[in-house]
Amino acid sequence: MRDLILVTDDDRLQRALLRDVLEDAGYQVETCANGSECLAALERSLPVAVCLDLKMPGMSGLEVLVKARERNRDVPVVILTGLAEVDVVVQAMQLGAFDFLVKPVEVTKLVTTVRNAAERYRMSRRLAELEREMAFHGHPTIAGRSIVMRDLFRQIDRVAGTDVTVLLVGESGTGKELVARAIHAASPRAGGQLVALNCAAIPESLQESELFGHERGAFTGAMERRKGRFELADGGTLFLDEVAELSASAQAKLLRVLEEKSFTRLGGAADLRSDFRLLAATHQNLESLVATRRFREDLYFRVAVFEIVLPPLRERGEDVLLLAAKFAADFGTAAGRPAMRLAAEAADLLRGYSWPGNVRELENAIQRAVVVCDGEVIRPSDLPDRVRQTAAPRPVAVADPVRAAERPVAPLPAPPTSLPDEPVTLAELERRAIESAMRQSAGNLTLAAQRLGIGRSTLYRKVRELRLDGASDAAALDPLPSPN
């Protein structure tokens, strides 16, 4: 079923034109002649976007906008306005309008804006669904709704109420510490501390001091008594990340503590006791380390009482898109740009990339994209080179007119019939694409940037960097606004 767009305008001809353009772009369109009809339509249907004229008899566009947002805060509203209504447009944007278009509306701009608005709506719905699902599972800090993540949530629920030792196994960046925190938060020990130690970050000579603590003068530099992680975790949970990095001596002493729940500080004689629960994590195969005698077998059996394997991001399906949208919203808000969202082309690249660094790599990629993004929409050009160059975007079926309309319309020149002696560089391919888009748009930078799927200022910078013929003419035809 096609996405529904609600068009509201008191001009019958304008309504018909907007309907025809949007239907040609693959949308289902319902038209309304006034604000009352628009609000009634919002009560009975679920549009992905609303196109709303500001000047209408009876109920004004601003009044309709306020009431529409009260009925459905997520649905994006695109304002249609004349050139003389700039002050009213500013007020509309402050009231929560998604964007505005100046009449007479340019066809390409209309389709692009509505597409972005619909994309925002779908993303907000997905995030809301994720939040509901996470609330249901009781783990709001872990985002995911794939089958493998649902299984992970069930395992967390199953083990959280017990006091058994848990071993978390997974590649780097899969969120092992997040799972440890979720287990602690859902356990009877939630009132105590979660004390974490990354064993790989501590030199072997200091590992035992970090775990057991030390008395003053126990070794050179021990100027005062210090409590260790076992002591600090009394009544709570101790999380040992990268437990395979513990030295042989520390492994032997850890085994004793797990068996007897007692220890002594370095340089001390008093026998101390601590009531803690152990959660451990590693990205390595402990069974292989046991076979090569790099990890104690008896300690392995003590640590791996209940083993949870965290899935890599490449096996989590649509979780990639949900996580990316969440990161974009979070980083955008932190940067004072709360409306950050993903373009469909960028989403395809994110889903096609293998993410060897898992969730941590995705988070860093989106943070970088928010920093370099020219506007509020993250496009392929904003993503790291490794994502754009190695991802395998999912093909779009020809029978899907909505997704097909989202593809850039400026094709690369046809490849030569015979292979050249030297491979074509990415820089040359970029130059060809820009030249093609500039020719098709007659030097109009705004239209060329839309065809290429990049920001207008990004295209202007690339035109100058590549010193393309006609760059000065293009700038004269379509100048960038003054930074002032």
Side-chain angles (χ1 to χ4, degrees):
M1 185 176 179
R2 297 185 297 173
D3 288 335
L4 173 65
I5 307 296
L6 192 60
V7 173
T8 303
D9 198 304
D10 63 312
D11 187 318
R12 181 177 60 82
L13 179 60
Q14 182 76 359
R15 290 198 307 272
L17 289 172
L18 293 173
R19 181 194 61 216
D20 291 345
V21 169
L22 293 174
E23 285 182 345
D24 287 345
Y27 294 101
Q28 177 187 352
V29 180
E30 180 177 350
T31 60
C32 303
N34 53 57
S36 298
E37 290 184 13
C38 176
L39 296 176
L42 282 173
E43 292 287 350
R44 65 174 182 271
S45 60
L46 290 173
V48 297
V50 175
C51 294
L52 176 63
D53 186 23
L54 268 185
K55 268 194 172 182
M56 294 185 296
M59 192 181 303
S60 71
L62 285 182
E63 292 177 290
V64 177
L65 172 62
V66 172
K67 293 182 181 296
R69 298 281 291 169
E70 290 174 352
R71 285 165 169 74
N72 185 345
R73 287 198 59 83
D74 290 335
V75 65
V77 178
V78 178
I79 296 297
L80 308 178
T81 178
L83 286 172
E85 301 169 331
V86 177
D87 293 339
V88 185
V89 168
V90 172
Q91 187 178 356
M93 299 301 287
Q94 291 173 342
L95 290 172
F98 172 78
D99 205 346
F100 69 94
L101 297 172
V102 177
K103 296 181 179 180
V105 177
E106 182 185 348
V107 170
T108 303
K109 182 66 174 174
L110 171 65
V111 174
T112 300
T113 303
V114 169
R115 182 196 70 196
N116 290 337
E119 195 174 280
R120 161 89 74 85
Y121 180 73
R122 286 192 292 268
M123 199 68 66
S124 65
R125 298 276 293 186
R126 289 180 185 177
L127 288 175
E129 182 181 345
L130 174 63
E131 290 171 359
R132 288 193 297 270
E133 186 171 326
M134 293 306 98
F136 172 77
H137 283 285
H139 309 300
T141 59
I142 307 176
R145 62 178 184 182
S146 58
I147 294 175
V148 290
M149 289 303 289
R150 291 176 184 178
D151 181 61
L152 174 64
F153 297 148
R154 284 192 291 269
Q155 293 184 69
I156 292 174
D157 292 336
R158 186 178 301 122
V159 78
T162 72
D163 221 22
V164 301
T165 302
V166 179
L167 176 63
L168 305 174
V169 180
E171 297 176 7
S172 295
T174 49
K176 294 185 287 293
E177 184 168 350
L178 278 179
V179 173
R181 293 187 179 280
I183 293 173
H184 171 74
S187 74
R189 295 176 175 270
Q193 289 191 69
L194 173 67
V195 179
L197 176 66
N198 187 337
C199 302
I202 306 298
E204 285 191 7
S205 58
L206 296 179
Q207 285 180 353
E208 293 183 27
S209 173
E210 287 290 334
L211 288 171
F212 305 104
H214 60 256
E215 299 288 350
R216 178 178 179 180
F219 52 85
T220 303
M223 306 302 294
E224 58 185 13
R225 171 187 288 178
R226 181 182 178 186
K227 292 183 177 181
R229 304 304 171 99
F230 289 128
E231 201 168 348
L232 294 173
D234 186 25
T237 303
L238 175 63
F239 173 54
L240 295 183
D241 198 5
E242 299 301 343
V243 68
E245 300 298 329
L246 286 176
S247 66
S249 175
Q251 289 182 36
K253 293 184 177 181
L254 172 60
L255 178 63
R256 177 179 179 273
V257 176
L258 293 177
E259 290 175 342
E260 302 179 9
K261 294 291 185 180
S262 65
F263 61 94
T264 58
R265 299 193 191 102
L266 295 184
D271 195 27
L272 305 175
R273 301 190 67 82
S274 177
D275 175 26
F276 65 90
R277 180 198 190 165
L278 178 66
L279 305 178
T282 181
H283 74 280
Q284 302 187 59
N285 187 324
L286 286 189
E287 291 183 344
S288 296
L289 297 182
V290 168
T292 57
R293 298 183 181 278
R294 293 169 56 196
F295 197 83
R296 295 179 62 106
E297 184 177 33
D298 46 5
L299 179 59
Y300 169 70
F301 291 127
R302 280 285 185 178
V303 169
V305 176
F306 191 99
E307 183 173 306
I308 296 178
V309 178
L310 278 68
L313 187 56
R314 61 183 172 274
E315 296 178 3
R316 294 177 55 181
E318 289 300 306
D319 285 352
V320 172
L321 189 57
L322 292 171
L323 287 166
K326 181 180 184 300
F327 293 146
D330 291 346
F331 289 129
T333 300
R337 300 155 67 185
M340 296 298 297
R341 59 194 186 279
L342 296 168
E345 298 87 349
D348 284 343
L349 287 175
L350 294 177
R351 287 181 293 190
Y353 184 59
S354 62
W355 299 109
N358 293 293
V359 179
R360 186 181 296 120
E361 183 184 7
L362 173 62
E363 183 177 12
N364 292 340
I366 298 301
Q367 185 175 23
R368 184 256 191 199
V370 169
V371 172
V372 303
C373 182
D374 289 329
E376 295 180 348
V377 180
I378 294 175
R379 303 190 181 281
S381 57
D382 301 318
L383 299 174
D385 290 343
R386 64 182 182 277
V387 177
R388 290 187 284 111
Q389 295 172 6
T390 62
R394 297 181 179 182
V396 178
V398 177
D400 187 344
V402 177
R403 293 300 304 277
E406 296 175 353
R407 319 318 297 173
V409 296
L412 289 175
T417 55
S418 60
L419 292 175
D421 294 334
E422 296 293 334
V424 179
T425 64
L426 289 173
E428 178 61 24
L429 290 175
E430 182 179 64
R431 173 188 287 273
R432 292 182 187 180
I434 292 176
E435 287 177 338
S436 176
M438 293 294 289
R439 284 196 303 271
Q440 293 186 28
S441 61
N444 185 302
L445 283 175
T446 299
L447 183 56
Q450 291 172 352
R451 290 176 177 273
L452 291 165
I454 62 177
R456 185 163 167 263
S457 60
T458 299
L459 175 59
Y460 182 71
R461 184 178 68 252
K462 288 184 177 294
V463 166
R464 296 186 63 183
E465 289 174 353
L466 295 172
R467 299 185 178 181
L468 296 175
D469 293 339
S472 59
D473 296 337
L477 284 168
D478 190 20
L480 286 172
S482 168
N484 296 323

